[in-house]
Amino acid sequence: MSVYFASDVHLGSDDAATARAVEQRFVAWLDYAAHDAEAIFLVGDIFDFWFEYRHVVPQGFVRTLGKIAELTDRGIRVVLLTGNHDMWVGDYLSRECGMEIYTAPQLLTLAGQQLFVAHGDNMQIEGRPLLRLMNGVFRSRVLRWLFSWGVHPDLAMKFGRWWSGKSRKAHGTEEALDEKHTEPLIRYARNYAASHHVDHFVFGHMHIARDYREEGLHTVHMGAWDTAPTYAVLNDTGSLTLERFDK
């Protein structure tokens, strides 16, 4: 049995044809992983924008949500660690699809290994006051409550998709980025590992696929699914590898 990890699918982004192609690829990957998956961890930004009202959820993603519900019904553990694009989840995904939801990084024991798993959007930002302010604002329970009560769902989705598109484009494309963009997360992992035992770190967010190793440190960074459909897999011997899904 294996444990699988994916991030930054950004379902619902781009034009309709591109969004459908990305979703079909992701659902095919879920099917592929399910053949020997003990658990599947979705490490943030699975949706390009997600916001739940008490009785309203975003349109779309039915193939993904149906597949996840099918997997959890079969006893496969599916876990979502929220990212900066889907941090405003409620109980819908757990209640209807059987997913486990976490809104903070997790230190997990899997296959006899210690794994630190996080999306990576709010790490190493101490010297970036504007980004720290934005993180605080968007994670505010008060703001979420005001937004849900004061903004019509149609307007909320329109704003959210505009904001998410702006944020996503700020990353650039896989071709325009290079591995240096993962360095802040590697520094975070290095500092964390100085006082905690961790065998592997798993990150998303930067849209760069990278398997980084140095003495005493192993970090895996998964790419975005529109340009670099990569995933990590932990096998039953405790080996964690980064793979590309080209099917």
Side-chain angles (χ1 to χ4, degrees):
M1 300 293 284
S2 300
V3 179
Y4 290 84
F5 304 84
S7 71
D8 298 283
V9 184
H10 289 279
L11 292 170
S13 64
D14 296 314
D15 61 89
T18 301
R20 178 61 56 84
V22 170
E23 183 172 23
Q24 288 174 335
R25 181 188 299 151
F26 181 59
V27 170
W29 176 79
L30 289 171
D31 265 331
Y32 167 78
H35 79 282
D36 71 339
E38 176 184 345
I40 298 172
F41 285 79
L42 306 178
V43 191
D45 289 1
I46 302 305
F47 306 96
D48 198 49
F49 178 70
W50 183 275
F51 184 85
E52 289 179 37
Y53 290 76
R54 180 171 295 179
H55 300 294
V56 177
V57 297
Q59 289 187 20
F61 327 125
V62 293
R63 291 161 182 81
T64 298
L65 298 180
K67 180 57 64 177
I68 290 172
E70 175 193 324
L71 298 184
T72 59
D73 284 349
R74 288 165 50 186
I76 298 173
R77 183 184 180 199
V78 180
V79 181
L80 173 66
L81 283 78
T82 58
N84 49 307
H85 284 252
D86 46 22
M87 69 177 79
W88 281 354
V89 298
D91 67 349
Y92 176 80
L93 296 175
S94 57
R95 179 166 41 84
E96 294 294 329
C97 301
M99 300 173 70
E100 297 176 35
I101 309 293
Y102 295 96
T103 58
Q106 298 293 302
L107 185 61
L108 307 165
T109 302
L110 300 167
Q113 302 285 289
Q114 285 285 98
L115 278 77
F116 182 95
V117 184
H119 182 63
D121 57 298
N122 58 351
M123 296 176 173
Q124 293 294 101
I125 61 173
E126 290 77 7
R128 305 175 67 182
L130 181 58
L131 187 55
R132 290 183 65 186
L133 175 63
M134 290 174 59
N135 268 271
V137 168
F138 279 100
R139 284 175 169 77
S140 166
R141 291 181 179 271
V142 174
L143 177 65
R144 178 174 175 173
W145 182 84
L146 291 173
F147 193 75
S148 65
W149 277 96
V151 182
H152 188 278
D154 287 345
L155 293 176
M157 293 303 112
K158 185 174 181 179
F159 167 78
R161 286 172 181 145
W162 169 79
W163 182 265
S164 293
K166 182 178 178 181
S167 172
R168 182 167 29 83
K169 289 174 182 177
H171 276 288
T173 64
E174 176 81 3
E175 291 76 15
L177 296 173
D178 58 42
E179 291 184 342
K180 71 180 182 182
H181 286 80
T182 63
E183 291 298 328
L185 294 179
I186 292 172
R187 288 198 303 272
Y188 178 92
R190 193 179 289 125
N191 292 337
Y192 188 89
S195 56
H196 301 78
H197 171 69
V198 179
D199 295 297
H200 312 284
F201 289 83
V202 180
F203 295 117
H205 185 55
M206 292 301 184
H207 293 195
I208 290 290
R210 186 181 188 187
D211 188 326
Y212 177 82
R213 300 170 190 263
E214 64 181 50
E215 185 177 355
L217 184 70
H218 180 210
T219 69
V220 167
H221 310 260
M222 297 173 292
W225 274 64
D226 59 342
T227 56
T230 53
Y231 64 95
V233 57
L234 178 73
N235 65 26
D236 54 10
T237 68
S239 175
L240 180 72
T241 58
L242 184 66
E243 309 287 345
R244 187 174 179 107
F245 188 71
D246 290 318
K247 299 181 181 180

